[in-house]
């Protein structure tokens, strides 16, 4: 049995409408399904605004799904409430995108970590302090940092503290929501390598959200490609990069620079991303797809599965 099984998950937001009009909804995540095995790293990529962060937040119940299931070790996290949800929270954590806004500036680093440790681990304060020091060592910081405050650290160091906080409850899986996008390029590689090392040592499953396919390929075993709230392609990382089947994935890969700094066969998508308030009929990508046919405009393609590669396209590459 998979550690995490997501079935037909959707997240929607109510849109303010006049009282005499029918209530409208914005679907940020639309009928998403995938599985995450124990110790596995899955990458989630797509343009800004495609629903990646909303999906990640829904998996840790920072957003409430409107339909679908999130089965964690067989228990439905999507419908858990109250005490049951609090008990399940020790099994999953999140690393946030902004290392500056995700830490309370008024709390010392020890207090920041101890809030999580004390909630999920029944131990005296001296043992909790030892655990906090071990967590800092694990992420490459010294125990002396426990008495300091967030403003005394750089962005990369703050993100390391955020990673330590996510590990404090010994979770089964972590959602990393673009953990390197707010950092300098020189720091990004060290954070990605740190996540990879920790994941291999602790066997914690990881959903790594990013818009940089090169970074995602480096850290992930499998990659999910998201467009307008839909998963349009899923495959092992190397297979997806070498043989993309969906035109959107092909366009994303064409924008990744090569080692010589050149872009080969750049695919330029026309038009803008449609509004999720008024999604197009048929395939959600057909308005920008260079291979769209009349069928794409009226029928939404089903998910086609070829061994370990799945895609939703009427005209796969």
């Amino acid at each position: 049995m998979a550690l995490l099984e997501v079935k037909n998950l959707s997240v929607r937001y109510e849109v303010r409408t006049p009282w005499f009009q029918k209530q409208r909804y914005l679907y940020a995540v639309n009928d998403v399904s995938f599985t995450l095995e124990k110790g596995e790293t899955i990458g989630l990529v797509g343009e800004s605004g495609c629903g990646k962060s909303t999906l990640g937040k829904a998996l840790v119940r920072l957003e409430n799904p409107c339909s679908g299931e999130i089965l964690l070790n067989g228990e439905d996290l999507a419908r858990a409430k109250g005490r049951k949800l609090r008990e399940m929270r020790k099994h999953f954590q999140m690393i946030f995108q902004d290392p500056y806004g995700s830490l309370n500036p008024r709390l010392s680093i020890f207090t920041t970590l101890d809030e999580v440790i004390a909630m999920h681990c029944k131990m005296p304060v001296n043992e909790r302090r030892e655990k906090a020091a071990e967590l800092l060592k694990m992420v490459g910081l010294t125990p002396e940092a426990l008495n300091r405050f967030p403003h005394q650290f750089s962005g990369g160091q703050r993100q390391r503290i955020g990673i330590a906080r996510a590990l404090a409850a010994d979770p089964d899986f972590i959602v990393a929501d673009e953990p390197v996008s707010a950092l300098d390029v020189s720091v990004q590689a060290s954070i990605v390598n740190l996540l990879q090392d920790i994941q291999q040592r602790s066997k914690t499953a990881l959903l790594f959200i990013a818009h940089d396919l090169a970074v995602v390929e480096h850290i992930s075993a499998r990659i999910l490609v998201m467009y307008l709230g839909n998963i349009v392609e899923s495959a092992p990382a190397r297979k997806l990069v070498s043989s993309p089947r969906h035109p959107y994935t092909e366009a994303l890969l064409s924008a990744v620079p090569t080692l010589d700094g050149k872009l080969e066969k750049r695919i330029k998508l026309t038009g803008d991303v449609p509004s999720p308030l008024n999604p197009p009929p048929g395939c959600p990508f057909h308005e920008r797809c260079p291979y769209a046919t009349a069928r794409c405009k009226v029928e939404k393609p089903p998910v086609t599965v070829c061994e370990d590669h799945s895609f939703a396209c009427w005209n796969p590459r």
Side-chain angles (χ1 to χ4, degrees):
M1 182 175 65
L3 170 68
L4 184 73
E5 190 172 359
V6 180
K7 296 181 178 180
N8 308 111
L9 187 71
S10 295
V11 180
R12 71 182 185 185
Y13 301 105
E14 289 188 0
V15 178
R16 183 179 296 178
T17 53
W19 65 270
F20 54 84
Q21 292 185 6
K22 184 179 179 181
Q23 179 63 57
R24 299 176 66 200
Y25 296 96
L26 184 155
Y27 279 83
V29 177
N30 189 19
D31 200 29
V32 167
S33 299
F34 67 93
T35 59
L36 178 64
E37 302 291 339
K38 294 179 180 180
E40 184 183 25
T41 298
I42 291 181
L44 178 62
V45 299
E47 293 172 288
S48 296
C50 71
K52 303 187 303 296
S53 294
T54 302
L55 174 58
K57 290 177 181 178
L59 296 180
V60 296
R61 286 298 303 276
L62 294 179
E63 296 286 355
N64 291 319
C66 64
S67 63
E69 296 178 305
I70 307 171
L71 301 179
L72 176 61
N73 290 319
E75 296 187 77
D76 191 0
L77 176 59
R79 289 171 176 77
K81 296 180 180 179
R83 183 177 179 181
K84 180 62 176 178
L85 178 58
R86 289 193 296 272
E87 290 174 353
M88 294 181 74
R89 283 197 180 279
K90 73 169 295 181
H91 298 290
F92 54 86
Q93 293 292 320
M94 189 166 189
I95 301 169
F96 295 92
Q97 178 178 356
D98 183 7
Y100 296 92
S102 61
L103 299 178
N104 190 329
R106 297 178 179 272
L107 300 183
S108 68
I109 303 308
F110 171 68
T111 306
T112 297
L113 299 178
D114 190 50
E115 282 186 329
V116 182
I117 299 171
M119 181 178 295
H120 300 294
C121 305
K122 304 300 181 183
M123 57 178 67
V125 65
N126 61 320
E127 292 184 17
R128 299 203 304 267
R129 194 172 188 88
E130 290 177 5
K131 180 170 177 130
E134 287 299 319
L135 288 168
L136 288 184
K137 289 180 183 177
M138 189 181 296
V139 298
L141 297 175
T142 61
E144 288 73 21
L146 287 173
N147 297 320
R148 297 165 65 186
F149 289 82
H151 72 271
Q152 297 175 283
F153 297 91
S154 67
Q157 290 172 325
R158 292 188 196 196
Q159 197 61 291
R160 289 173 184 268
I161 294 167
I163 294 170
R165 181 176 59 184
L167 293 168
D170 300 317
D172 294 323
F173 84 91
I174 293 174
V175 174
D177 183 15
E178 303 206 37
V180 298
S181 64
L183 304 177
D184 293 338
V185 175
S186 59
V187 181
Q188 290 182 7
S190 63
I191 297 298
V192 170
N193 290 335
L194 172 65
L195 284 171
Q196 205 167 24
D197 291 342
I198 289 174
Q199 190 271 337
Q200 290 173 353
R201 279 186 285 164
S202 64
K203 302 303 178 185
T204 302
L206 182 68
L207 178 68
F208 187 88
I209 301 172
H211 56 265
D212 189 335
L213 260 172
V215 173
V216 172
E217 181 193 4
H218 173 72
I219 195 173
S220 306
R222 284 193 297 141
I223 297 177
L224 309 177
V225 181
M226 197 170 196
Y227 182 81
L228 207 63
N230 300 269
I231 299 296
V232 297
E233 187 165 9
S234 171
R238 290 186 179 179
K239 179 179 286 189
L240 184 135
V241 170
S242 61
S243 305
R245 303 300 304 276
H246 197 281
Y248 179 61
T249 308
E250 189 179 38
L252 290 179
L253 287 167
S254 75
V256 177
T258 58
L259 289 176
D260 57 9
K262 297 180 180 179
L263 295 176
E264 298 180 3
K265 298 181 180 179
R266 177 69 183 269
I267 299 173
K268 295 183 179 180
L269 299 177
T270 59
D272 297 321
V273 179
S275 169
L277 267 176
N278 187 27
C283 175
F285 186 59
H286 82 259
E287 292 183 351
R288 306 175 71 197
C289 180
Y291 313 109
T293 62
R295 187 182 191 184
C296 301
K297 299 177 182 179
V298 294
E299 292 184 53
K300 186 174 181 177
V303 176
T304 301
V305 180
C306 296
E307 297 180 351
D308 53 0
H309 197 153
S310 63
F311 48 89
C313 183
W314 290 119
N315 304 294
R317 311 317 307 145

